[in-house]
Amino acid sequence: MAAVDVFSALANPVRRRLLEALRDGPSAAGDLAGQFALSRPAVSEHLSVLRNAGLVREEPRGRHRYYHLEAKPLAEVGNWLHPFEHYWRGRMAALADLIDEENP
């Protein structure tokens, strides 16, 4: 399978939820699959996309496969997003001002 663009991998909500599930540490593929109303092969395909994007790494342990979060590509996404922060920070400040005006 060809390398997957990190942004393409993150575009899918199931893959984002898988990454969230791995924030607290490695997890077995079966445990991850149990968190979704999807078939195990479907979750396995999502994990494969994340692995090809470099967002997770797979560790075989006997008959099980454990997945670990790889943070470096996420830091690169954060670096890319950083120049755009002033757009949403300004909007959030304007929203806070509006709420304060409505609720004195």
Side-chain angles (χ1 to χ4, degrees):
M1 179 181 254
V4 176
D5 175 24
V6 171
F7 291 96
S8 296
L10 293 173
N12 184 283
V14 171
R15 292 193 285 267
R16 291 192 306 266
R17 283 187 48 213
L18 283 165
L19 292 176
E20 290 170 3
L22 293 171
R23 280 188 304 205
D24 295 328
S27 188
D31 294 338
L32 291 168
Q35 298 179 31
F36 296 89
L38 298 172
S39 67
R40 283 182 182 238
V43 173
S44 179
E45 182 62 30
H46 285 294
L47 287 167
S48 177
V49 170
L50 292 171
R51 190 178 64 249
N52 286 319
L55 291 164
V56 299
R57 72 178 164 83
E58 182 182 73
E59 175 193 2
R61 291 187 198 169
R63 294 173 36 128
H64 301 283
R65 302 209 176 277
Y66 282 78
Y67 285 86
H68 301 257
L69 182 65
E70 292 291 326
K72 185 178 179 196
L74 294 174
E76 292 169 6
V77 170
N79 291 338
W80 183 85
L81 287 171
H82 182 70
F84 299 98
E85 285 182 20
H86 74 278
Y87 292 110
W88 59 264
R89 285 184 190 235
R91 288 180 178 220
M92 293 301 285
L95 178 60
D97 291 344
L98 180 63
I99 290 171
D100 289 343
E101 288 174 13
E102 295 293 321
N103 300 307

XYZ file of all heavy atoms in Angstrom:
822
model
N 0.849 -1.176 0.000
C 0.000 0.000 0.000
C 0.894 1.237 0.000
O 1.886 1.311 0.700
C -0.909 -0.022 1.239
C -1.815 1.179 1.333
S -2.843 1.139 2.816
C -4.407 0.731 2.092
N 0.553 2.246 -0.763
C 1.327 3.471 -0.863
C 1.185 4.293 0.420
O 0.233 4.146 1.169
C 0.843 4.292 -2.061
N 2.165 5.152 0.639
C 2.106 6.039 1.799
C 0.856 6.908 1.721
O 0.428 7.317 0.644
C 3.353 6.909 1.847
N 0.274 7.171 2.872
C -0.955 7.950 2.958
C -0.612 9.316 3.532
O 0.139 9.425 4.505
C -1.984 7.234 3.864
C -3.230 8.071 4.051
C -2.336 5.871 3.290
N -1.169 10.357 2.950
C -1.015 11.705 3.450
C -1.648 11.798 4.840
O -2.758 11.307 5.067
C -1.700 12.651 2.459
C -1.730 14.089 2.915
O -0.878 14.489 3.724
O -2.604 14.831 2.432
N -0.956 12.422 5.782
C -1.453 12.547 7.151
C -2.805 13.249 7.171
O -3.716 12.839 7.893
C -0.426 13.291 8.036
C -1.007 13.619 9.402
C 0.833 12.455 8.183
N -2.961 14.293 6.379
C -4.224 15.025 6.361
C -5.367 14.154 5.839
O -6.486 14.221 6.352
C -4.098 16.314 5.540
C -3.212 17.331 6.196
C -1.880 17.434 5.842
C -3.699 18.167 7.184
C -1.057 18.363 6.453
C -2.895 19.095 7.802
C -1.561 19.201 7.437
N -5.089 13.329 4.852
C -6.113 12.405 4.343
C -6.492 11.386 5.412
O -7.667 11.050 5.575
C -5.613 11.671 3.100
O -5.392 12.579 2.055
N -5.501 10.905 6.135
C -5.776 9.930 7.195
C -6.626 10.561 8.297
O -7.545 9.928 8.818
C -4.464 9.401 7.773
N -6.351 11.811 8.629
C -7.083 12.492 9.699
C -8.469 12.946 9.269
O -9.288 13.301 10.118
C -6.287 13.703 10.190
C -4.985 13.384 10.914
C -4.220 14.674 11.197
C -5.236 12.604 12.172
N -8.757 12.925 7.978
C -10.044 13.395 7.476
C -11.201 12.485 7.904
O -12.340 12.929 7.951
C -10.014 13.515 5.954
N -10.904 11.246 8.240
C -11.955 10.292 8.584
C -12.226 10.290 10.088
O -11.294 10.125 10.887
C -11.536 8.895 8.118
C -12.615 7.887 8.346
O -12.819 7.451 9.465
N -13.299 7.504 7.288
N -13.487 10.437 10.502
C -13.785 10.494 11.941
C -13.468 9.201 12.696
O -13.098 9.258 13.875
C -15.280 10.814 11.998
C -15.819 10.517 10.647
C -14.683 10.637 9.683
N -13.562 8.059 12.060
C -13.217 6.801 12.736
C -11.727 6.786 13.045
O -11.314 6.418 14.155
C -13.607 5.573 11.882
C -13.049 4.283 12.476
C -15.118 5.488 11.725
N -10.923 7.228 12.108
C -9.475 7.247 12.335
C -9.108 8.256 13.422
O -8.224 7.998 14.245
C -8.742 7.501 11.032
C -8.900 6.319 10.074
C -7.961 6.380 8.903
N -8.319 7.330 7.889
C -9.047 7.065 6.816
N -9.527 5.843 6.623
N -9.304 7.987 5.922
N -9.791 9.384 13.460
C -9.534 10.353 14.535
C -9.898 9.750 15.891
O -9.172 9.918 16.867
C -10.302 11.658 14.293
C -9.757 12.445 13.100
C -10.320 13.859 13.047
N -11.772 13.911 13.062
C -12.551 13.964 11.983
N -12.019 13.951 10.773
N -13.868 14.052 12.106
N -10.998 9.021 15.952
C -11.400 8.365 17.215
C -10.399 7.282 17.613
O -10.135 7.090 18.801
C -12.803 7.787 17.097
C -13.872 8.869 17.204
C -15.288 8.324 17.254
N -15.452 7.238 18.210
C -16.296 6.225 18.034
N -17.053 6.150 16.955
N -16.406 5.282 18.944
N -9.848 6.568 16.645
C -8.826 5.573 16.959
C -7.606 6.247 17.584
O -7.051 5.758 18.569
C -8.426 4.795 15.704
C -9.410 3.729 15.245
C -9.106 3.276 13.829
C -9.398 2.545 16.214
N -7.195 7.378 17.027
C -6.059 8.104 17.588
C -6.371 8.577 19.005
O -5.525 8.500 19.891
C -5.685 9.290 16.697
C -5.103 8.931 15.330
C -4.869 10.193 14.513
C -3.821 8.132 15.474
N -7.588 9.055 19.217
C -7.998 9.481 20.558
C -7.927 8.309 21.536
O -7.503 8.472 22.685
C -9.406 10.066 20.530
C -9.494 11.405 19.834
C -10.922 11.860 19.590
O -11.883 11.172 20.013
O -11.081 12.912 18.959
N -8.325 7.137 21.087
C -8.304 5.951 21.946
C -6.881 5.556 22.327
O -6.662 4.935 23.366
C -9.012 4.783 21.256
N -5.915 5.934 21.506
C -4.520 5.573 21.759
C -3.763 6.633 22.556
O -2.590 6.438 22.877
C -3.799 5.301 20.435
C -4.278 4.063 19.683
C -3.675 4.009 18.295
C -3.951 2.798 20.476
N -4.412 7.725 22.898
C -3.737 8.795 23.646
C -3.205 8.315 24.987
O -2.168 8.771 25.441
C -4.680 9.976 23.891
C -4.821 10.888 22.725
C -5.590 12.117 23.105
N -6.898 11.738 23.657
C -7.962 12.516 23.636
N -7.884 13.727 23.135
N -9.098 12.103 24.126
N -3.928 7.435 25.639
C -3.530 6.981 26.975
C -2.559 5.820 26.956
O -2.173 5.330 28.012
C -4.773 6.611 27.792
C -5.653 7.817 28.065
O -5.118 8.931 28.190
O -6.881 7.640 28.152
N -2.202 5.353 25.784
C -1.239 4.264 25.687
C -1.647 3.248 24.646
O -2.726 3.337 24.058
N -0.765 2.272 24.414
C -1.031 1.263 23.396
C -2.267 0.439 23.713
O -2.661 0.298 24.867
C 0.212 0.387 23.387
C 1.068 0.841 24.496
C 0.493 2.063 25.104
N -2.848 -0.097 22.657
C -4.052 -0.920 22.810
C -4.045 -2.016 21.760
O -3.542 -1.826 20.649
C -5.281 -0.036 22.655
O -6.453 -0.745 22.974
N -4.618 -3.145 22.124
C -4.727 -4.269 21.188
C -5.761 -3.943 20.120
O -6.755 -3.252 20.385
C -5.125 -5.536 21.933
N -5.530 -4.450 18.930
C -6.438 -4.201 17.811
C -7.864 -4.627 18.162
O -8.822 -3.918 17.854
C -5.948 -4.920 16.562
N -8.016 -5.768 18.814
C -9.347 -6.250 19.184
C -10.054 -5.324 20.158
O -11.259 -5.098 20.062
N -9.289 -4.769 21.104
C -9.870 -3.817 22.053
C -10.310 -2.545 21.341
O -11.355 -1.982 21.652
C -8.878 -3.487 23.164
C -8.570 -4.682 24.047
O -9.386 -5.629 24.083
O -7.502 -4.679 24.695
N -9.503 -2.103 20.399
C -9.874 -0.911 19.626
C -11.132 -1.179 18.812
O -12.050 -0.358 18.776
C -8.723 -0.492 18.709
C -7.491 0.069 19.400
C -6.330 0.160 18.423
C -7.785 1.426 20.013
N -11.179 -2.342 18.167
C -12.339 -2.683 17.331
C -13.613 -2.748 18.162
O -14.690 -2.388 17.672
C -12.093 -4.010 16.615
N -13.500 -3.167 19.419
C -14.660 -3.275 20.295
C -15.300 -1.935 20.625
O -16.421 -1.885 21.115
N -14.620 -0.840 20.337
C -15.146 0.497 20.625
C -16.003 1.045 19.489
O -16.520 2.157 19.603
C -13.990 1.463 20.901
C -13.166 1.071 22.107
C -12.024 2.020 22.340
O -12.099 3.207 22.038
N -10.936 1.499 22.881
N -16.135 0.289 18.411
C -16.839 0.779 17.235
C -17.934 -0.187 16.805
O -17.827 -1.389 17.021
C -15.852 0.959 16.065
C -14.811 1.998 16.328
C -13.618 1.666 16.935
C -15.032 3.320 15.975
C -12.651 2.629 17.193
C -14.078 4.293 16.222
C -12.885 3.941 16.837
N -18.943 0.360 16.170
C -20.013 -0.459 15.600
C -19.636 -0.805 14.161
O -20.421 -0.642 13.236
C -21.336 0.294 15.655
N -18.403 -1.245 13.996
C -17.876 -1.646 12.690
C -17.325 -3.064 12.815
O -16.993 -3.509 13.914
C -16.729 -0.715 12.266
C -17.030 0.757 12.066
C -15.729 1.528 11.856
C -17.940 0.945 10.864
N -17.155 -3.714 11.685
C -16.537 -5.037 11.710
C -15.050 -4.896 12.036
O -14.442 -3.844 11.816
C -16.705 -5.720 10.348
O -15.946 -5.029 9.372
N -14.474 -5.958 12.556
C -13.031 -5.938 12.835
C -12.214 -5.669 11.569
O -11.254 -4.910 11.627
C -12.601 -7.239 13.503
C -12.984 -7.287 14.949
C -12.500 -8.568 15.604
N -12.923 -8.596 16.977
C -12.097 -8.709 18.003
N -10.820 -8.837 17.794
N -12.564 -8.703 19.233
N -12.578 -6.271 10.421
C -11.810 -5.953 9.215
C -11.884 -4.468 8.835
O -10.900 -3.897 8.347
C -12.447 -6.835 8.132
C -13.026 -7.983 8.882
C -13.504 -7.388 10.187
N -13.028 -3.825 9.075
C -13.157 -2.398 8.761
C -12.244 -1.574 9.668
O -11.542 -0.662 9.199
C -14.604 -1.935 8.906
N -12.211 -1.905 10.956
C -11.328 -1.190 11.885
C -9.875 -1.469 11.524
O -9.037 -0.571 11.552
C -11.638 -1.569 13.351
C -10.611 -0.972 14.301
C -13.044 -1.111 13.724
N -9.591 -2.700 11.140
C -8.232 -3.058 10.725
C -7.785 -2.231 9.522
O -6.632 -1.796 9.452
C -8.167 -4.551 10.397
O -6.884 -4.905 9.979
N -8.696 -1.992 8.598
C -8.367 -1.169 7.427
C -8.054 0.266 7.847
O -7.112 0.879 7.345
C -9.517 -1.195 6.419
C -9.246 -0.410 5.165
C -8.064 -0.919 4.341
O -7.787 -2.135 4.361
O -7.407 -0.097 3.684
N -8.827 0.797 8.785
C -8.553 2.148 9.281
C -7.197 2.198 9.982
O -6.435 3.158 9.810
C -9.657 2.613 10.240
C -10.926 2.989 9.551
N -11.031 4.077 8.701
C -12.153 2.429 9.586
C -12.266 4.174 8.260
N -12.968 3.177 8.773
N -6.879 1.173 10.763
C -5.573 1.122 11.421
C -4.448 1.031 10.401
O -3.377 1.622 10.586
C -5.516 -0.060 12.396
C -6.335 0.115 13.673
C -6.471 -1.215 14.411
C -5.723 1.180 14.574
N -4.690 0.329 9.320
C -3.698 0.224 8.249
C -3.420 1.594 7.622
O -2.265 1.946 7.350
C -4.183 -0.770 7.196
O -3.278 -0.841 6.136
N -4.476 2.364 7.411
C -4.309 3.715 6.851
C -3.492 4.567 7.816
O -2.565 5.280 7.410
C -5.680 4.361 6.555
C -5.530 5.840 6.210
C -6.383 3.624 5.423
N -3.817 4.490 9.107
C -3.072 5.260 10.099
C -1.607 4.828 10.154
O -0.703 5.662 10.286
C -3.719 5.117 11.482
C -5.091 5.765 11.646
C -5.716 5.367 12.978
C -4.994 7.274 11.515
N -1.375 3.538 10.039
C 0.002 3.017 10.039
C 0.766 3.522 8.819
O 1.906 3.976 8.927
C -0.011 1.490 10.093
C 1.362 0.884 10.328
C 1.342 -0.625 10.438
N 0.921 -1.234 9.188
C -0.232 -1.884 8.999
N -1.072 -2.048 9.990
N -0.524 -2.401 7.835
N 0.121 3.496 7.653
C 0.778 3.961 6.429
C 1.036 5.464 6.436
O 1.934 5.936 5.742
C -0.032 3.559 5.200
C 0.105 2.090 4.903
O 1.187 1.523 5.009
N -0.991 1.444 4.565
N 0.259 6.198 7.222
C 0.473 7.642 7.353
C 1.508 7.956 8.433
O 1.865 9.109 8.628
C -0.849 8.338 7.673
N 1.978 6.933 9.134
C 2.968 7.127 10.183
C 2.379 7.612 11.496
O 3.110 8.037 12.387
N 1.052 7.542 11.633
C 0.385 8.029 12.845
C 0.321 6.989 13.953
O 0.146 7.336 15.121
C -1.020 8.513 12.499
C -1.041 9.787 11.650
C -2.413 9.985 11.022
C -0.647 10.984 12.495
N 0.437 5.717 13.607
C 0.502 4.641 14.596
C 1.578 3.657 14.156
O 1.954 3.598 12.980
C -0.843 3.889 14.770
C -1.940 4.823 15.245
C -1.255 3.167 13.515
N 2.057 2.908 15.122
C 2.941 1.781 14.790
C 2.346 0.529 15.407
O 1.663 0.583 16.420
C 4.369 2.020 15.233
C 4.624 1.954 16.676
C 6.120 2.160 16.997
N 6.284 2.465 18.392
C 6.336 1.562 19.346
N 6.269 0.270 19.061
N 6.462 1.917 20.612
N 2.609 -0.570 14.753
C 2.048 -1.855 15.143
C 3.132 -2.679 15.829
O 4.263 -2.734 15.356
C 1.555 -2.563 13.883
C 0.904 -3.886 14.104
C 0.511 -4.498 12.770
O 1.415 -4.944 12.041
O -0.680 -4.504 12.469
N 2.760 -3.310 16.933
C 3.681 -4.181 17.667
C 3.032 -5.546 17.845
O 2.056 -5.680 18.586
C 3.990 -3.581 19.049
C 4.843 -4.478 19.908
C 4.889 -4.023 21.361
O 4.234 -3.040 21.729
O 5.582 -4.703 22.123
N 3.550 -6.554 17.154
C 3.009 -7.903 17.359
C 3.444 -8.448 18.725
O 4.594 -8.330 19.103
C 3.633 -8.726 16.238
C 4.363 -7.783 15.363
C 4.550 -6.519 16.119
N 2.479 -8.990 19.466
C 2.750 -9.668 20.744
C 1.994 -10.984 20.711
O 0.789 -11.020 20.948
C 2.256 -8.846 21.929
C 2.998 -7.583 22.201
C 2.501 -6.962 23.503
N 2.848 -5.580 23.609
C 2.361 -4.764 24.522
N 1.466 -5.214 25.405
N 2.722 -3.508 24.550
N 2.698 -12.037 20.386
C 2.039 -13.338 20.247
C 1.010 -13.276 19.135
O 1.318 -12.902 18.012
N -0.237 -13.624 19.475
C -1.308 -13.622 18.466
C -1.989 -12.260 18.338
O -2.889 -12.088 17.536
C -2.352 -14.672 18.833
C -1.823 -16.086 18.750
C -2.808 -17.095 19.276
N -4.189 -16.766 18.989
C -5.066 -17.572 18.418
N -4.689 -18.777 18.095
N -6.290 -17.196 18.220
N -1.591 -11.313 19.162
C -2.239 -9.998 19.169
C -1.339 -8.941 18.550
O -0.127 -9.087 18.522
C -2.591 -9.591 20.610
C -3.500 -10.566 21.282
N -4.847 -10.625 21.020
C -3.245 -11.538 22.192
C -5.391 -11.589 21.743
N -4.437 -12.166 22.461
N -1.986 -7.885 18.090
C -1.265 -6.735 17.553
C -1.649 -5.525 18.386
O -2.829 -5.223 18.544
C -1.609 -6.511 16.097
C -1.299 -7.708 15.221
C -0.968 -7.274 13.816
N -0.588 -8.393 12.992
C 0.634 -8.923 12.950
N 1.571 -8.432 13.709
N 0.912 -9.927 12.163
N -0.638 -4.873 18.911
C -0.857 -3.671 19.704
C -0.476 -2.460 18.875
O 0.504 -2.478 18.126
C -0.028 -3.700 20.996
C -0.645 -4.591 22.037
C -0.518 -5.976 21.960
C -1.389 -4.056 23.075
C -1.103 -6.799 22.902
C -1.983 -4.870 24.023
C -1.832 -6.238 23.921
O -2.425 -7.050 24.851
N -1.266 -1.421 19.025
C -1.026 -0.190 18.279
C -0.610 0.916 19.239
O -1.164 1.051 20.328
C -2.277 0.213 17.489
C -2.445 -0.676 16.289
C -3.102 -1.893 16.392
C -1.899 -0.334 15.059
C -3.222 -2.742 15.305
C -2.010 -1.170 13.966
C -2.673 -2.368 14.097
O -2.776 -3.201 13.011
N 0.394 1.674 18.808
C 0.952 2.781 19.570
C 0.774 4.063 18.760
O 1.008 4.079 17.550
C 2.456 2.583 19.801
C 2.805 1.335 20.535
N 3.160 1.336 21.855
C 2.856 0.041 20.122
C 3.432 0.097 22.235
N 3.245 -0.706 21.209
N 0.432 5.137 19.436
C 0.326 6.441 18.803
C 1.723 6.964 18.484
O 2.635 6.854 19.300
C -0.389 7.409 19.754
C -0.630 8.820 19.259
C -1.577 8.825 18.070
C -1.208 9.664 20.386
N 1.888 7.504 17.307
C 3.136 8.153 16.898
C 2.850 9.648 16.776
O 2.120 10.074 15.879
C 3.633 7.580 15.563
C 4.103 6.149 15.646
C 5.392 5.999 16.442
O 6.242 6.909 16.403
O 5.545 4.963 17.115
N 3.403 10.434 17.671
C 3.032 11.849 17.776
C 3.721 12.760 16.758
O 3.208 13.841 16.464
C 3.317 12.356 19.180
N 4.840 12.357 16.201
C 5.588 13.270 15.325
C 4.751 13.814 14.167
O 4.744 15.023 13.922
C 6.857 12.602 14.806
C 7.713 13.547 14.001
C 8.993 12.911 13.520
C 9.765 13.929 12.706
N 10.798 13.319 11.901
N 4.014 12.979 13.426
C 3.203 13.538 12.338
C 2.128 14.499 12.842
O 1.780 15.456 12.156
C 2.572 12.311 11.678
C 3.461 11.176 12.031
C 3.984 11.509 13.403
N 1.616 14.273 14.058
C 0.619 15.181 14.612
C 1.248 16.530 14.944
O 0.618 17.576 14.767
C -0.037 14.572 15.851
C -0.881 13.337 15.580
C -1.361 12.729 16.888
C -2.060 13.675 14.683
N 2.503 16.522 15.406
C 3.211 17.780 15.663
C 3.392 18.554 14.362
O 3.273 19.782 14.336
C 4.561 17.497 16.319
N 3.649 17.831 13.277
C 3.793 18.488 11.972
C 2.477 19.131 11.546
O 2.464 20.231 10.993
C 4.273 17.485 10.932
C 5.691 17.011 11.187
C 6.103 15.826 10.321
O 5.327 15.420 9.430
O 7.207 15.311 10.554
N 1.353 18.487 11.834
C 0.032 19.059 11.536
C -0.163 20.319 12.373
O -0.614 21.347 11.876
C -1.098 18.036 11.784
C -2.461 18.702 11.706
C -1.005 16.891 10.790
N 0.194 20.229 13.648
C 0.090 21.393 14.520
C 0.920 22.556 14.017
O 0.473 23.713 14.034
N 2.127 22.264 13.552
C 2.980 23.321 12.994
C 2.350 23.945 11.755
O 2.445 25.150 11.543
C 4.366 22.769 12.654
C 5.157 22.411 13.885
O 4.899 22.909 14.982
N 6.126 21.530 13.727
N 1.721 23.126 10.943
C 1.071 23.638 9.742
C -0.123 24.523 10.118
O -0.378 25.550 9.494
C 0.612 22.482 8.851
C 0.013 22.951 7.569
C 0.675 23.278 6.418
C -1.381 23.158 7.305
N -0.226 23.678 5.469
C -1.493 23.617 5.980
C -2.538 23.007 8.053
C -2.714 23.916 5.394
C -3.762 23.309 7.475
C -3.837 23.760 6.156
N -0.880 24.128 11.147
C -2.065 24.879 11.561
C -1.737 26.182 12.281
O -2.542 27.116 12.278
C -2.941 24.019 12.483
C -3.720 22.902 11.820
C -4.351 22.017 12.884
C -4.785 23.460 10.906
N -0.584 26.250 12.901
C -0.224 27.396 13.735
C -0.451 28.759 13.061
O -1.034 29.658 13.682
C 1.216 27.268 14.234
C 1.632 28.377 15.124
N 1.143 28.535 16.399
C 2.471 29.412 14.911
C 1.664 29.612 16.934
N 2.482 30.160 16.062
N -0.040 28.970 11.817
C -0.251 30.288 11.196
C -1.721 30.662 11.038
O -2.053 31.829 10.859
C 0.409 30.165 9.817
C 1.345 29.014 9.927
C 0.748 28.094 10.946
N -2.624 29.708 11.130
C -4.051 29.977 10.952
C -4.767 30.267 12.266
O -5.943 30.622 12.270
C -4.726 28.793 10.249
C -4.161 28.521 8.892
C -3.209 27.524 8.719
C -4.556 29.267 7.798
C -2.670 27.272 7.464
C -4.021 29.028 6.548
C -3.077 28.033 6.373
N -4.078 30.102 13.392
C -4.709 30.268 14.696
C -5.322 31.645 14.887
O -6.372 31.778 15.518
C -3.712 30.001 15.824
C -3.409 28.548 16.027
C -2.445 28.322 17.182
O -2.299 29.212 18.042
O -1.828 27.261 17.211
N -4.679 32.669 14.350
C -5.207 34.016 14.588
C -6.603 34.185 13.996
O -7.390 34.978 14.496
C -4.240 35.093 14.080
C -4.187 35.238 12.606
N -3.429 34.425 11.796
C -4.827 36.111 11.784
C -3.580 34.798 10.541
N -4.419 35.816 10.498
N -6.951 33.420 12.983
C -8.295 33.507 12.405
C -9.350 33.002 13.385
O -10.347 33.661 13.634
C -8.392 32.710 11.101
C -7.589 33.297 9.984
C -6.445 32.663 9.520
C -7.956 34.496 9.388
C -5.694 33.207 8.496
C -7.212 35.052 8.368
C -6.079 34.396 7.923
O -5.344 34.941 6.918
N -9.135 31.821 13.930
C -10.152 31.295 14.834
C -10.082 31.928 16.207
O -11.097 32.071 16.880
C -10.151 29.773 14.897
C -8.896 29.097 15.338
C -7.919 28.589 14.553
C -8.491 28.832 16.682
N -6.932 28.039 15.314
C -7.248 28.168 16.629
C -9.049 29.086 17.917
C -6.557 27.765 17.752
C -8.367 28.684 19.056
C -7.128 28.028 18.962
N -8.907 32.378 16.650
C -8.840 33.058 17.947
C -9.629 34.362 17.906
O -10.328 34.701 18.860
C -7.401 33.317 18.352
C -6.702 32.085 18.828
C -5.298 32.399 19.303
N -4.591 31.173 19.515
C -4.014 30.857 20.651
N -4.051 31.686 21.663
N -3.385 29.714 20.770
N -9.524 35.093 16.806
C -10.287 36.326 16.657
C -11.777 36.069 16.664
O -12.553 36.809 17.284
N -12.191 35.022 15.993
C -13.619 34.683 15.965
C -14.116 34.246 17.340
O -15.229 34.574 17.739
C -13.888 33.589 14.939
C -13.768 34.106 13.523
C -14.039 33.016 12.522
N -13.953 33.579 11.191
C -14.765 33.275 10.215
N -15.726 32.391 10.406
N -14.633 33.824 9.038
N -13.298 33.498 18.060
C -13.695 33.067 19.405
C -13.796 34.271 20.345
O -14.708 34.343 21.169
C -12.704 32.035 19.953
C -12.728 30.711 19.201
S -14.345 29.917 19.216
C -14.390 29.318 20.876
N -12.876 35.226 20.212
C -12.933 36.425 21.047
C -14.188 37.229 20.723
O -14.867 37.738 21.633
C -11.681 37.272 20.838
N -14.528 37.339 19.432
C -15.741 38.054 19.036
C -16.979 37.352 19.576
O -17.924 38.011 20.037
C -15.813 38.170 17.511
N -16.989 36.034 19.549
C -18.112 35.273 20.096
C -18.236 35.502 21.600
O -19.331 35.711 22.118
C -17.952 33.784 19.789
C -19.023 32.857 20.346
C -20.408 33.225 19.795
C -18.688 31.410 20.019
N -17.113 35.489 22.303
C -17.134 35.733 23.752
C -17.678 37.127 24.045
O -18.476 37.306 24.975
C -15.735 35.557 24.341
N -17.279 38.132 23.257
C -17.785 39.499 23.442
C -19.292 39.538 23.230
O -20.022 40.187 23.996
C -17.090 40.473 22.481
C -15.623 40.692 22.827
O -15.211 40.355 23.956
O -14.895 41.202 21.952
N -19.766 38.857 22.192
C -21.201 38.824 21.902
C -21.977 38.162 23.044
O -23.025 38.659 23.463
C -21.464 38.082 20.590
C -22.911 37.966 20.140
C -23.494 39.357 19.869
C -23.018 37.092 18.924
N -21.454 37.084 23.557
C -22.119 36.398 24.675
C -22.140 37.309 25.911
O -23.160 37.384 26.607
C -21.410 35.057 24.975
C -21.695 34.076 23.827
C -21.879 34.477 26.309
C -20.876 32.799 23.885
N -21.040 37.998 26.155
C -21.002 38.915 27.304
C -22.013 40.032 27.150
O -22.634 40.453 28.138
C -19.591 39.503 27.471
C -18.596 38.476 27.976
O -19.023 37.420 28.497
O -17.374 38.731 27.851
N -22.213 40.518 25.914
C -23.194 41.568 25.674
C -24.622 41.066 25.901
O -25.460 41.793 26.417
C -23.078 42.094 24.244
C -21.850 42.930 23.991
C -21.711 43.299 22.510
O -22.676 43.113 21.742
O -20.619 43.760 22.143
N -24.877 39.832 25.517
C -26.218 39.240 25.647
C -26.535 38.849 27.077
O -27.690 38.798 27.476
C -26.353 38.014 24.734
C -26.285 38.342 23.262
C -27.470 39.155 22.778
O -28.600 38.884 23.228
O -27.255 40.065 21.953
N -25.517 38.520 27.839
C -25.695 38.056 29.227
C -24.866 38.921 30.170
O -23.821 38.490 30.661
C -25.281 36.589 29.364
C -26.085 35.684 28.478
O -27.306 35.714 28.516
N -25.416 34.873 27.685
N -25.337 40.129 30.448
C -24.532 41.029 31.306
C -24.399 40.536 32.726
O -25.081 39.829 33.288
C -25.270 42.358 31.249
C -26.597 42.098 30.641
C -26.552 40.746 30.017
